[in-house]
Amino acid sequence: MKKLEDLDIDLRKFVAPPLRWFREQNFKILDLEKVVVCPEEGFAGTVDCAVLTPDGKQMVIDWKTTKTKGRKVQPYQGQPEQVSAYGASYFGVNEVENEKVWGINAYISTDEFLENGESRFEVVRYSPAEIKHHWETFKHTCELWRRIEKYDPR
C-alpha cells in the first residue's frame, strides 16, 4: 500500500485531509470500490467504501470532489439517494428499511485550500432515518424511470 509521502505533491494536498479524517474514525473497512446490484429495484452501482464504525454501525461512504470556494458544502440533488441506494445494495434493503444503515458524502474541494496548502474537506452525515427516507425517494424515482422508459430490468 502506498504511503501518503509516496504520492505526488500535487495529489497529496487533496488526499491528506480525507485520509487523516478516515484514520481518525477507526472504521473497519469492509469493501472499497465494490460493484453492487439491487435486484429488488433493478439497478447496480459501485460503492466507494463500506465500513463498520468502532461501535459496529453499518455505513456507506461516497467520496465526491467539488468546487467549494465561497459556498457552504451541501449535497447536490440525488446524492443522498445515491448513498441510500448503495446502503440498500450493500447491506440489504431490510437493513435500510429497519434503520440500521448510516451514510456519508465526503467532499474534497478542488478549488479551496487551507493555510497549510491542503484541500478543504467536509463530510455530510445521514442518520439511519434519513437513509431510509432517501431510499424511499430513490425507489419512487426508479419506478418513474421504469414507467417513462417502458423498461424494467428486474
Side-chain angles (χ1 to χ4, degrees), residues 2 10 16 20 26 34 38 47 68 73 79 86 91-92 96 100 105 113-114 124-125 129 140-141 148:
K2 275 190 176 183
D10 291 329
R20 189 169 39 254
N26 293 313
K34 173 76 173 174
C38 181
V47 174
T68 62
V73 173
Q79 288 179 341
Y86 289 156
F91 291 110
V96 167
K100 294 183 179 179
N105 276 125
F113 302 92
L114 307 177
V124 175
R125 298 174 183 271
H140 293 303
T141 303
I148 290 167

Side-chain angles (χ1 to χ4, degrees), residues 14-27:
F14 297 105
V15 175
L19 182 59
R20 189 169 39 254
W21 170 83
F22 190 86
R23 287 179 176 160
E24 289 168 358
Q25 305 309 305
N26 293 313
F27 292 134

Side-chain angles (χ1 to χ4, degrees), residues 21-22 28-36 45-51 59-65 79 82-83 85-87 89-91 104-108:
W21 170 83
F22 190 86
K28 177 184 177 190
I29 298 172
L30 300 175
D31 272 305
L32 299 170
E33 295 295 317
K34 173 76 173 174
V35 174
V36 292
T46 303
V47 174
D48 289 343
C49 188
V51 300
M59 182 179 286
V60 171
I61 303 170
D62 194 44
W63 302 99
K64 300 289 186 194
T65 56
Q79 288 179 341
Q82 181 184 26
V83 171
Y86 289 156
S89 300
Y90 188 85
F91 291 110
I104 287 180
N105 276 125
Y107 295 95
I108 303 165

Side-chain angles (χ1 to χ4, degrees), residues 120-139:
R120 176 179 167 191
F121 174 74
E122 291 188 35
V123 298
V124 175
R125 298 174 183 271
Y126 307 107
S127 69
E130 291 170 311
I131 289 290
K132 180 181 179 180
H133 169 80
H134 293 298
W135 170 241
E136 293 295 325
T137 302
F138 185 82
K139 288 192 303 182

Side-chain angles (χ1 to χ4, degrees), residues 138-151:
F138 185 82
K139 288 192 303 182
H140 293 303
T141 303
C142 288
E143 178 63 25
L144 285 172
W145 182 87
R146 289 190 295 266
R147 287 174 183 237
I148 290 167
E149 297 298 320
K150 296 179 177 62
Y151 175 71

